[in-house]
Amino acid sequence: MAVDLSTIDTLENALTYHRERHTVLAGNIANLDTPGYRAVDLERRTAGTPGALATTNAAHIPTAPTADFVTSFDDGGALQSFDGNAVSLERELSKIDANRARYATSAELVSRRIAILRYAAGDGT
Amino acid sequence: MSSMDFFTAMEVSASGLSAERTRMNIAASNLANAQTTQTAAGGPYRRRDVTLASVDVPGTRNTQFAQAVRGVAVSQISQDATPPRLEYDPGHPQANAQGYVAYPNINPVEEMVDMITASRAYEAGVTSMTTATNMAERALGIGR
């Protein structure tokens, strides 16, 4: 029986996405006092959206959509201040914390998955 | 795969911390010089103002979302052009012929508010940097 590593691949994409999203959200915090700056966020497109090539022959290798299927967008969730800045501190901080929790969850799932494989690879002790 | 790692996130946060510290320094300098009537350039001290601008983060490759990652930098420190406040004090060594002394155009309340907002923004930057560190440590724990 083949070892199924697709779960780990999927979780790895999730980890990459949450790491990149954190970088973008950290940029919003850094620009709290930049005139005219508007908060941005990353959106993760699900697998099977444009970019994945169709396979018409059994010998074709399917292209796996990766975490690069991400687009940034103006999050529009904050009131604009006098200097044109639209970043809400509370909103960004809560996003950062929720994102951190999701990252931790994915990391934990990878660890569990590896533990299962290690258990199976051993003699079940 | 992506070119960004946790160091990029920390670099972004660091740029914010450095910008907020500059704002804090300038506000402190304005407060300290609220009564300075003579400077090397002549005339009373003039209020300084910090302008920030978002910048590209070096090291992010030209990916689809790299332009979404923005650091921050001080784009200029300008002098406030509003005229000095004149106060009648004929005995003052810097008094003019009419007996008026030119004091800096500084409102201490305004400077205090600037200082508080800079300090809060600095704290937020520290929080986001700590979060990046926690996430990186979490990643190192995978498979242990």
Side-chain angles (χ1 to χ4, degrees):
Chain A
M1 196 189 116
V3 178
D4 182 16
L5 295 171
S6 65
T7 316
I8 292 179
D9 286 344
T10 308
L11 289 168
E12 190 196 318
N13 283 343
L15 287 172
T16 307
Y17 165 66
H18 291 305
R19 173 165 52 73
E20 277 159 0
R21 185 163 183 244
H22 176 77
T23 311
V24 170
L25 296 176
N28 290 342
I29 294 288
N31 283 284
L32 267 178
D33 294 305
T34 307
Y37 182 87
R38 299 188 65 85
V40 285
D41 201 346
L42 285 187
E43 183 176 46
R44 192 175 192 211
R45 292 198 195 143
T46 48
T49 44
L53 300 175
T55 51
T56 53
N57 185 301
H60 287 169
I61 299 165
T63 54
T66 65
D68 283 336
F69 282 73
V70 154
T71 46
S72 63
F73 64 99
D74 186 331
D75 101 336
L79 282 173
Q80 204 164 312
S81 65
F82 294 118
D83 63 1
N85 181 288
V87 182
S88 158
L89 175 60
E90 296 80 5
R91 206 180 133 87
E92 297 310 315
L93 283 178
S94 62
K95 275 184 178 186
I96 281 180
D97 205 48
N99 189 62
R100 181 201 53 76
R102 290 201 181 96
Y103 184 92
T105 308
S106 299
E108 182 59 30
L109 287 171
V110 174
S111 285
R112 299 275 174 102
R113 184 79 191 142
I114 291 171
I116 289 171
L117 291 173
R118 194 187 288 141
Y119 178 80
D123 56 2
T125 51
Chain B
M1 284 318 270
S2 136
S3 60
M4 284 194 281
D5 51 28
F6 282 112
F7 296 112
T8 312
M10 288 162 91
E11 204 173 307
V12 168
S13 295
S15 76
L17 294 184
S18 150
E20 297 304 340
R21 196 167 39 74
T22 307
R23 284 186 67 216
M24 182 76 98
N25 284 345
I26 295 296
S29 160
N30 287 341
L31 267 180
N33 286 289
Q35 303 293 327
T36 303
T37 54
Q38 197 175 31
T39 57
Y45 174 87
R46 288 199 174 263
R47 182 176 175 274
R48 290 341 187 236
D49 208 359
V50 181
T51 310
L52 303 179
S54 69
V55 292
D56 291 327
V57 180
T60 56
R61 257 180 254 146
N62 194 24
T63 51
Q64 243 184 313
F65 47 84
Q67 62 265 36
V69 181
R70 306 297 292 167
V72 71
V74 173
S75 66
Q76 66 166 345
I77 296 172
S78 50
Q79 289 197 15
D80 197 322
T82 51
R85 174 170 54 88
L86 293 175
E87 225 169 81
Y88 187 68
D89 185 2
H92 196 284
Q94 258 88 48
N96 64 11
Q98 286 77 42
Y100 283 95
V101 183
Y103 279 99
N105 45 4
I106 288 167
N107 176 359
V109 177
E110 204 178 297
E111 301 308 324
M112 283 308 291
V113 170
D114 267 2
M115 222 173 197
I116 293 166
T117 56
S119 153
R120 292 289 174 258
Y122 191 93
E123 282 171 30
V126 171
T127 303
S128 81
M129 192 180 262
T130 312
T131 305
T133 319
N134 287 346
M135 286 165 76
E137 277 167 6
R138 200 62 232 232
L140 286 173
I142 289 175
R144 250 180 223 164

